[in-house]
């Protein structure tokens, strides 16, 4: 159709695990021999599905396989999926950073991409020079770039450092300037990866507002990848859900988010012998949710909740700690809490089995479903195990006095607070 600006037809991307390039001259000759006889590349038949959680038997893997979709002018497409689903690979193909193994991508118009910190910038050039360099790459004249220059610098908030080489910028400053350049130099298509998470909360909000403006007011097309489902739901009108390198669903963004959350969450309250051995020395073996000391999945908001996590450490002198993150049914991040008791987590662990207990006080949650991510971390930085939405609890407000209020009490949390109102005159 005339207003279709991106058309992806059966694209796939294959990688060979553990190596760069071909395995041997023999494979190159084999590929060439099949090509001259008009036959398919033999190594395209042996790739396996991109499931990072399972050990495969083939040395070839499909990072993407059989991807088909269309994006119309002015649409804002949110691309979601778990880590390793193929989101960043898809954006690199659309940005022409790499080529697909099979299939075809048809694009109308100029593309500006923000895929990772430093993309498209030369570290030895100043911020000013990089603005003009990026504009020239997009095919803009010097006069056109100059007309947008002050607006770009003002949006990025880096005026004091605009004539400083960008290699001296912090990662946040890098992203500020890079997004400002990408959004203001008027490409027909703007591609943004999770990189915005590097910026502070104020700048993220500013970027989301700008993306809304360039789509709604200027009719430009945006492809946005983020694990922040709240941001996706705010600015996107269409969703693309990826799973193991394949399209699971293309629909309106609300349906895509609901399907993603439904498929990625557990309704369990007790998880035993979890397959979490990303690290062979330290791993989680048991997670349980307790209400009033009993394993259960339903609680009143007046109940105290305990999360019990059992993990094994097979290597002496590892500095380990646990962390729990809590999300509501819409994917809104409620809070996270790391273990911090010195006796257990801030000194080297001896080999053995450990049990961590997190107590969440009563009168904190609102009514609704809550999901828990569990992490086992080394040195406060390296994640050894991450269990996403591994257990859940359904909270009810049945025993709470609502005589003075009728309707849903909004918010992710509903803490019990203390009020005092006095007559002062």
């Amino acid at each position: 159709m005339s207003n279709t600006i991106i058309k992806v037809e059966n694209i796939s991307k294959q990688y060979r695990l553990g190596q760069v390039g071909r395995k041997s001259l023999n494979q190159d000759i084999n590929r060439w021999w099949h090509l001259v006889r008009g036959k398919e590349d033999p190594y395209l038949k042996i790739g396996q599905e991109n499931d990072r959680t399972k050990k495969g038997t083939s040395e070839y893997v499909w990072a993407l396989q059989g991807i088909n979709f269309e994006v119309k002018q002015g649409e804002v497409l949110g691309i979601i999926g778990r880590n390793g689903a193929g989101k960043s690979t898809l954006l690199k193909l659309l940005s022409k950073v790499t080529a697909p193994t099979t299939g075809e991508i048809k694009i109308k118009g100029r593309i500006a991409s923000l895929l990772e910190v430093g993309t498209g910038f030369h570290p030895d050039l100043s911020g000013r020079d990089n603005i003009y360099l990026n504009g020239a790459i997009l095919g803009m004249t010097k006069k056109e770039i100059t007309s947008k220059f002050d607006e770009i610098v003002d949006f990025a908030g880096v005026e004091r450092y605009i004539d400083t080489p960008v290699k001296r910028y912090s990662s946040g400053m890098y992203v500020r300037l890079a997004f400002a350049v990408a959004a203001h130099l008027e490409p027909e298509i703007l591609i943004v990866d999770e990189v915005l998470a590097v910026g502070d909360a104020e700048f993220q909000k500013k970027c989301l507002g700008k993306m809304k403006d360039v789509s709604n007011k200027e009719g430009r097309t945006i492809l946005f990848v983020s694990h922040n489902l709240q941001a996706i739901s705010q600015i996107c009108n269409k969703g693309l859900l990826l799973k193991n390198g394949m399209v699971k669903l293309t629909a309106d963004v609300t349906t895509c988010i609901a399907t993603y959350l439904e498929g990625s969450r557990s309704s369990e309250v007790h998880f035993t012998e979890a397959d979490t051995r990303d690290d062979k020395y330290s791993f989680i073996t048991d997670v349980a949710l307790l209400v009033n000391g009993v394993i259960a999945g339903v609680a009143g908001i007046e109940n105290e909740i305990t999360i019990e996590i059992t993990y094994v450490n097979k290597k002496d002198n590892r500095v380990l700690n646990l962390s729990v993150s809590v999300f509501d049914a819409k994917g809104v991040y409620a809070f996270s809490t790391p273990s911090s008791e010195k006796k257990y987590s801030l000194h080297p662990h001896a080999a053995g089995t450990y049990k961590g207990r997190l107590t969440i006080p009563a009168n904190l949650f609102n009514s609704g479903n809550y999901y828990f991510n569990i992490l086992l971390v080394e040195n406060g930085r390296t994640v050894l195990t991450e269990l996403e939405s591994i257990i859940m609890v359904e909270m009810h407000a049945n025993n709470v006095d609502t005589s003075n209020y009728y309707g849903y009490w909004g918010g992710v949390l509903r803490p019990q607070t203390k009020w005092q109102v006095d007559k002062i005159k």
Side-chain angles (χ1 to χ4, degrees), residues 278-279 282 321 323 374-387:
D278 295 332
D279 183 276
S282 303
N321 75 281
S323 181
I374 312 294
L375 283 76
L376 179 62
V377 183
E378 183 179 18
N379 295 324
R381 295 184 300 273
T382 305
V383 177
L384 304 178
T385 294
E386 180 175 7
L387 302 178

Side-chain angles (χ1 to χ4, degrees), residues 25 45 123 129 163 180 204 223 330 399 403:
L25 178 62
K45 301 177 182 179
D129 293 337
D163 291 309
Q204 289 182 38
L223 277 67
K330 296 180 180 178
N399 298 323
S403 57

